[in-house]
Amino acid sequence: MHRWVVVTFSVALGLVGTVAASATSLYAAHPLVGTWRFDVPDTGCAEIYRFRADGTSIVTSGSEVAESEFKVSATPSNRGFYTWTDTIVKDNGKPDCSGQITGVGRKTTNYIRFDRSGQRFIVCRREDLRACFGPLQRIGGDEV
């Protein structure tokens, strides 16, 4: 998976916040639910993120397919960022867009900020715009 404009995506997978994931539709109306695409710069490679309402996701990046459980805050902070925490629960062991292999159990926390349309978001290491990648573009609704 990509690197922050050269840091691995696995770091990005660790975004999320305050609501516990379960088999119910905790996030049914959350703007993150759906399918998103990130074209990794200078690689010809794309990452596809599928966030489900039950707090699980599947990400494909290069040859890698990873499954995770995530938590995401219900509302943005005063700075406009949602907190996203992600834990990898399954990985096929193949390299991502950056040539890295993501380990099962890897947990990351990042911060996401949507544009006004809700059709794009960026992923940041902190609640500021200095260490971010994106945008990720919505390519599908909440039926993932």
Side-chain angles (χ1 to χ4, degrees):
M1 298 183 190
H2 77 283
R3 296 179 184 240
W4 289 98
V5 189
V6 199
V7 169
T8 46
F9 159 76
S10 5
V11 172
L13 263 178
L15 318 163
V16 185
T18 59
V19 183
S22 76
T24 62
S25 294
L26 295 175
Y27 303 117
H30 199 284
L32 183 62
V33 173
T35 304
W36 303 84
R37 179 185 176 107
F38 175 64
D39 292 308
V40 182
D42 305 319
T43 66
C45 191
E47 297 179 345
I48 305 296
Y49 298 66
R50 294 173 182 89
F51 294 99
R52 298 180 182 130
D54 68 356
T56 64
S57 66
I58 295 178
V59 177
T60 58
S61 174
S63 298
E64 181 177 45
V65 179
E67 296 181 31
S68 68
E69 294 175 355
F70 71 89
K71 297 177 187 176
V72 64
S73 54
T75 59
S77 69
N78 291 339
R79 292 182 167 189
F81 290 87
Y82 291 84
T83 304
W84 168 33
T85 302
D86 196 86
T87 304
I88 304 294
V89 296
K90 188 175 179 182
D91 188 88
N92 67 354
K94 295 184 179 179
D96 61 21
C97 286
S98 68
Q100 303 294 312
I101 296 174
T102 306
V104 172
R106 183 172 191 139
K107 182 176 181 177
T108 54
T109 298
N110 290 284
Y111 302 88
I112 57 177
R113 189 170 187 176
F114 291 90
D115 71 0
R116 289 184 182 191
S117 74
Q119 299 304 301
R120 298 185 326 159
F121 71 88
I122 57 172
V123 178
C124 305
R125 289 179 157 187
R126 295 176 297 279
E127 284 191 88
D128 63 45
L129 302 175
R130 291 179 280 176
C132 304
F133 76 89
L136 283 76
Q137 178 73 42
R138 183 181 295 278
I139 60 172
D142 58 2
E143 298 300 319
V144 292

